[in-house]
Amino acid sequence: MRYAGIDIGSQTHVVATIGPDGDVMVKPTSFSENAAGYDKLLELLGPPSKLVVALEATGHYGKNLCAFLRHRAYGVAVINPIRTNRYAQENLARAKTDTIDALGIAHFALQKALTPQPPIDTNTAELKELVLFHERLVQDFTDRVRQLHRLVDLGFPEFPTLVRTLDSRLATTILREYPTAAAFDQSCRRRLAGLRYDKQRRVGPLRARRLVESARSSIGQHHTPAFQERVRYITQDLDRLRDRIDSLKSNIEAVVGDLPLAGLLISIPGIGSLTAARIIAAVEDPARFRSAAAFAAYVGVVPATRLSGLHRPTRARITSLGNARLRKALWMPVLSSVRHNPCLRDYYQRLRQRGKHPKVALTAVMRKLVTAIY
């Protein structure tokens, strides 16, 4: 079996090939991220039989290359960069260059006897992109809400006491028309009361009266046109992002409906279609792990125990390794599970009765939920 290691770059990659005894068959050679570079790579790799091409997971930079090689029947193994970095440390590597990394990846693949990974099916690949885009839009939405909070605190700090959440349609509808406290006056009460923030509901005369009265005595000191324009722009962004997030969520649910694995995950009380989509996007199929403990280690819900000599801490934090995005995606389902999943609710209550801190108990519940998913 031959092993090829490819060090991925943004515009140029480096490939090296070694034989079953570790002897270098193809010295580290660079090739570009274009059709000519890919043709050069095929000449360097030779026939795809008895060859494993290993490369690190480096965001989107290697995805075109992976698809290109798999389409031409090459076996591809994608490696977590943490593993190759630890391998280099184990071998006391003191230098780091593209050529050294390419050879290091090839030797790592030989030592671990890596096997090619199957390509991702079309539906799962589509789901991955939709989930990634959804998370990006949610992050943008959260950033805009944080910016709006700053502006409201400066221009109308009493506003959140009358409209509970600034990320609601009610808040963005009012602030788009009346961005600071100075914009409210008695003459606007009737128009304010009639503002629609969805197809059926209006602001209403009671809330309009309270807003006008609160604005009259507001301590906000920033009412310049720059502040007002910025509030209007942000509220427009929030409404657009909210609509896009809702539309994208519908697309995700449609794709999830075609995946049998998603139906199994949704059958667990506390896990909805969006959480199931995030799980599949992160791991494809949890059954590919050798055990529930291995899956829990990947998610990162295992204790980072540190015992040495006389050092005996009374508690251990969870590991800093693992898939932080997946842990974040499972947090709300855990909170839902301790309310609606009888098994996990009883487990959580037993831990609390034993004196466990609430977050410690919730982390333990997450471990149970990860085991159920597996």
Side-chain angles (χ1 to χ4, degrees), residues 103-235:
L103 272 175
I105 292 170
H107 283 289
F108 175 84
L110 171 64
Q111 186 188 79
K112 302 300 181 181
L114 295 184
T115 56
Q117 299 161 353
I120 304 172
D121 65 88
T122 305
N123 283 343
T124 303
E126 177 75 4
L127 189 62
K128 279 178 173 284
E129 289 302 317
L130 289 174
V131 168
L132 186 63
F133 189 32
H134 181 269
E135 291 178 352
R136 179 67 266 174
L137 290 182
V138 170
Q139 183 61 54
D140 290 345
F141 187 86
T142 304
D143 291 342
R144 294 294 191 281
V145 172
R146 188 163 50 248
Q147 295 165 16
L148 184 60
H149 265 287
R150 173 185 176 272
L151 297 174
V152 170
D153 288 343
L154 294 173
F156 192 0
E158 298 82 5
F159 184 84
T161 63
L162 301 173
V163 179
R164 183 173 299 177
T165 56
L166 294 186
D167 59 351
S168 64
R169 288 190 183 274
L170 172 61
T172 56
T173 300
I174 296 174
L175 290 172
R176 186 164 57 250
E177 298 295 329
Y178 308 99
T180 67
F184 292 85
D185 55 42
Q186 289 295 335
S187 63
C188 77
R189 280 181 59 177
R190 180 173 296 181
R191 183 171 181 272
L192 175 59
L195 278 180
R196 290 182 180 272
Y197 57 95
D198 61 19
K199 295 181 179 180
Q200 296 179 346
R201 291 180 289 183
R202 299 175 186 269
V203 174
L206 178 59
R207 180 177 275 118
R209 178 176 60 83
R210 289 176 176 174
L211 282 167
V212 171
E213 292 175 352
S214 182
R216 189 184 307 164
S217 59
S218 175
I219 62 170
Q221 301 296 316
H222 297 77
H223 313 289
T224 62
F227 269 80
Q228 295 185 20
E229 282 301 301
R230 191 172 180 188
V231 171
R232 290 192 178 101
Y233 287 151
I234 291 177
T235 54

Side-chain angles (χ1 to χ4, degrees), residues 34 43 56 64 80 83 161 189 204 217 225 245 255 269 273 278 298 312 319 350 355 364:
N34 53 35
E43 295 178 3
E56 294 175 330
N64 282 334
N80 188 327
R83 300 183 66 192
T161 63
R189 280 181 59 177
S217 59
I245 289 170
V255 175
S273 57
R278 287 171 173 167
Y298 172 82
R312 290 291 187 270
T319 178
R350 289 198 305 271

Side-chain angles (χ1 to χ4, degrees), residues 150-370:
R150 173 185 176 272
L151 297 174
V152 170
D153 288 343
L154 294 173
F156 192 0
E158 298 82 5
F159 184 84
T161 63
L162 301 173
V163 179
R164 183 173 299 177
T165 56
L166 294 186
D167 59 351
S168 64
R169 288 190 183 274
L170 172 61
T172 56
T173 300
I174 296 174
L175 290 172
R176 186 164 57 250
E177 298 295 329
Y178 308 99
T180 67
F184 292 85
D185 55 42
Q186 289 295 335
S187 63
C188 77
R189 280 181 59 177
R190 180 173 296 181
R191 183 171 181 272
L192 175 59
L195 278 180
R196 290 182 180 272
Y197 57 95
D198 61 19
K199 295 181 179 180
Q200 296 179 346
R201 291 180 289 183
R202 299 175 186 269
V203 174
L206 178 59
R207 180 177 275 118
R209 178 176 60 83
R210 289 176 176 174
L211 282 167
V212 171
E213 292 175 352
S214 182
R216 189 184 307 164
S217 59
S218 175
I219 62 170
Q221 301 296 316
H222 297 77
H223 313 289
T224 62
F227 269 80
Q228 295 185 20
E229 282 301 301
R230 191 172 180 188
V231 171
R232 290 192 178 101
Y233 287 151
I234 291 177
T235 54
Q236 291 170 7
D237 288 346
L238 286 172
D239 287 340
R240 292 193 188 99
L241 285 170
R242 187 187 295 107
D243 291 339
R244 289 171 181 171
I245 289 170
D246 291 342
S247 175
L248 197 57
K249 185 178 179 180
S250 298
N251 294 340
I252 290 173
E253 290 173 347
V255 175
V256 163
D258 296 332
L259 297 174
L261 175 59
L264 290 174
L265 296 175
I266 295 172
S267 68
I268 302 173
I271 292 183
S273 57
L274 188 57
T275 302
R278 287 171 173 167
I279 295 170
I280 295 172
V283 300
E284 298 170 24
D285 184 358
R288 70 184 180 87
F289 292 89
R290 64 178 181 272
S291 65
F295 182 41
Y298 172 82
V299 176
V301 283
V302 294
T305 307
R306 293 289 185 270
L307 301 178
S308 178
L310 299 177
H311 181 63
R312 290 291 187 270
T314 57
R315 65 176 64 180
R317 297 177 178 270
I318 63 170
T319 178
S320 59
L321 301 177
N323 192 319
R325 288 169 57 190
L326 187 52
R327 286 200 303 273
K328 181 180 178 181
L330 290 174
W331 183 249
M332 291 306 295
V334 165
L335 298 181
S336 176
S337 296
V338 297
R339 293 188 180 94
H340 306 295
N341 189 320
C343 177
L344 296 181
R345 182 179 62 238
D346 294 343
Y347 179 63
Y348 174 77
Q349 291 174 351
R350 289 198 305 271
L351 291 175
R352 291 291 290 123
Q353 290 170 0
R354 287 164 49 188
K356 297 295 183 182
H357 189 276
K359 285 192 176 180
V360 173
L362 288 173
T363 303
V365 170
M366 185 181 290
R367 171 64 182 264
K368 282 283 187 182
L369 183 60
V370 166

Side-chain angles (χ1 to χ4, degrees), residues 11-90:
Q11 297 294 326
T12 304
H13 317 303
V14 177
V15 61
T17 305
I18 62 174
D21 298 326
D23 52 316
V24 178
M25 301 180 67
V26 175
K27 294 182 179 180
T29 307
S30 64
F31 64 96
S32 55
E33 176 72 3
N34 53 35
Y38 281 20
D39 290 340
K40 180 180 179 180
L41 173 65
L42 294 181
E43 295 178 3
L44 293 170
L45 293 178
S49 59
K50 295 185 178 180
L51 172 67
V52 175
V53 181
L55 51 91
E56 294 175 330
T58 52
H60 68 278
Y61 290 112
K63 287 190 174 182
N64 282 334
L65 183 58
C66 283
F68 174 83
L69 291 172
R70 283 169 173 156
H71 183 67
R72 284 157 180 75
Y74 285 89
V76 179
V78 181
I79 312 167
N80 188 327
I82 294 178
R83 300 183 66 192
T84 52
N85 184 46
R86 295 286 173 84
Y87 176 77
Q89 292 175 355
E90 176 187 346

